[in-house]
Amino acid sequence: MITSTFRHLPGVGAAFEERLWRGGCLTWQDAAARGDIPCRKHEAGTFATGIADSHARLAAGDAAWFGQRLGAADQWRLFAAFRHQTAYVDIETTGLGWPESHITTIALWDGFQLRTYRHGDNLEAFADDIRDYKLLVTFNGRGFDAPFIEQTFRQKLDMAHLDLRWVLKPLGYSGGLKRVEQAFGLDRGGLAGVDGYTAVMLWHHWKNSGDDRALETLLAYNAEDVLTLEPLAVHAYNAHLAGLPALPEHPLPQCLRAENPFRASAEVLRRVGVRAA
């Protein structure tokens, strides 16, 4: 999809891009063959340069360049090109505000491996590991996870960022992640009813009691939040693609949510006030 995208170029909005597509200019290659296509009078001459720059940036794997030029709702266009360099990330914290609160755990799924990070153990390793990825996928991460991470590690997350909250909203899916999951028929099993507040209580219960089941339950909840992001990202990509004029692009095969390696303890959840589903 990225090579059929013109929205990142100066002066190109949704209407102009659609006119290009309907006029047979479906890819960057088509645009290059036509020569320069002025977007606005004062920007004549920039289109051909932008197409050449786009080819060079894609060849260099520079997802961030495109991410900076696309709006939050259009970041899905990067997914197919950079899927195998994607980090699905979610954090749990002791509260909503930094520095009064701190990160307790982070889960990172890359489509192949699940890694978890814990405050007081290996949390700092996340700052190095996240540098290996070119696309960040979160749910509501632009407003919460990314700023919290950046403040905690004093490190800018400068990769492209696909926040599924804003990508799914134009498709008619609103609300929190669990509500969206329910719309897609995704079941959290023993973790149904667990939310961010429960995650805070699980952390404090583990710190106060030393019951490792509380920590594993917290890790299970954190992991569930990232393992669900990949199938949702695939669905969002395909749904947006289907709503566009016929382009030389193919939908992605739908994927299943990977198995969660952690197990929630029903007894611990009862102790912190979560009723069985």
Side-chain angles (χ1 to χ4, degrees):
M1 177 61 205
I2 189 60
T3 57
S4 291
T5 290
F6 300 96
R7 195 81 63 88
H8 64 293
L9 300 177
V12 178
F16 188 88
E17 182 182 59
E18 186 163 344
R19 287 200 298 272
L20 287 173
W21 288 337
R22 296 194 183 280
C25 192
L26 303 179
T27 67
W28 297 343
Q29 186 174 358
D30 295 335
R34 292 193 181 192
D36 198 37
I37 304 173
C39 301
R40 297 173 182 162
K41 290 181 179 180
H42 67 282
E43 288 169 341
T46 65
F47 194 88
T49 300
I51 294 298
D53 288 345
S54 299
H55 277 294
R57 295 289 184 168
L58 182 60
D62 192 353
W65 186 82
F66 295 99
Q68 290 164 4
R69 288 160 175 78
L70 289 170
D74 286 320
Q75 298 289 320
W76 66 271
R77 296 167 180 239
L78 298 172
F79 184 64
F82 296 99
R83 184 177 180 181
H84 298 301
Q85 296 167 297
T86 292
Y88 306 88
V89 171
D90 181 75
I91 68 172
E92 302 303 333
T93 69
T94 57
L96 299 178
W98 186 92
E100 294 80 10
S101 306
H102 67 79
I103 294 174
T104 56
T105 62
I106 305 176
L108 188 162
W109 167 249
D110 62 10
F112 303 96
Q113 178 184 14
L114 175 68
R115 283 181 277 186
T116 58
Y117 307 84
R118 174 168 59 83
H119 179 79
D121 181 19
N122 64 338
L123 192 68
E124 299 301 324
F126 175 84
D128 290 327
D129 291 346
I130 195 62
R131 297 178 189 272
D132 294 336
Y133 301 95
K134 296 188 175 182
L135 178 62
L136 175 67
V137 174
T138 66
F139 190 95
N140 198 37
R142 285 178 176 263
F144 183 71
D145 302 70
F148 219 119
I149 288 170
E150 290 176 340
Q151 292 164 335
T152 296
F153 298 109
R154 301 186 183 279
Q155 172 179 312
K156 183 70 174 175
L157 294 174
D158 54 6
M159 69 281 289
H161 185 173
L162 192 171
D163 185 335
L164 285 170
R165 177 182 179 186
W166 303 112
V167 168
L168 287 166
K169 189 173 182 179
L171 298 172
Y173 301 100
S174 59
L177 178 57
K178 297 168 193 63
R179 180 177 176 181
V180 171
E181 288 175 353
Q182 291 171 0
F184 286 100
L186 297 175
D187 181 12
R188 291 199 170 208
L191 286 164
V194 179
D195 56 18
Y197 179 68
T198 309
V200 175
M201 294 191 293
L202 287 168
W203 175 259
H204 289 303
H205 181 64
W206 175 68
K207 294 292 288 185
N208 294 331
S209 69
D211 187 345
D212 287 339
R213 295 177 303 168
L215 177 60
E216 179 159 5
T217 302
L218 173 59
L219 292 172
Y221 173 70
N222 195 187
E224 198 74 14
D225 279 348
V226 296
L227 295 176
T228 198
L229 296 182
E230 185 176 21
L232 288 180
V234 171
H235 176 88
Y237 179 88
N238 290 341
H240 276 287
L241 191 63
L244 299 179
L247 298 175
E249 308 290 340
H250 299 286
L252 297 171
Q254 188 55 265
C255 68
L256 298 176
R257 181 170 54 191
E259 184 178 355
N260 193 331
F262 301 104
R263 293 291 174 263
S265 167
E267 181 182 347
V268 168
L269 288 174
R270 285 194 296 270
R271 288 187 180 182
V272 297
V274 177
R275 295 181 180 180

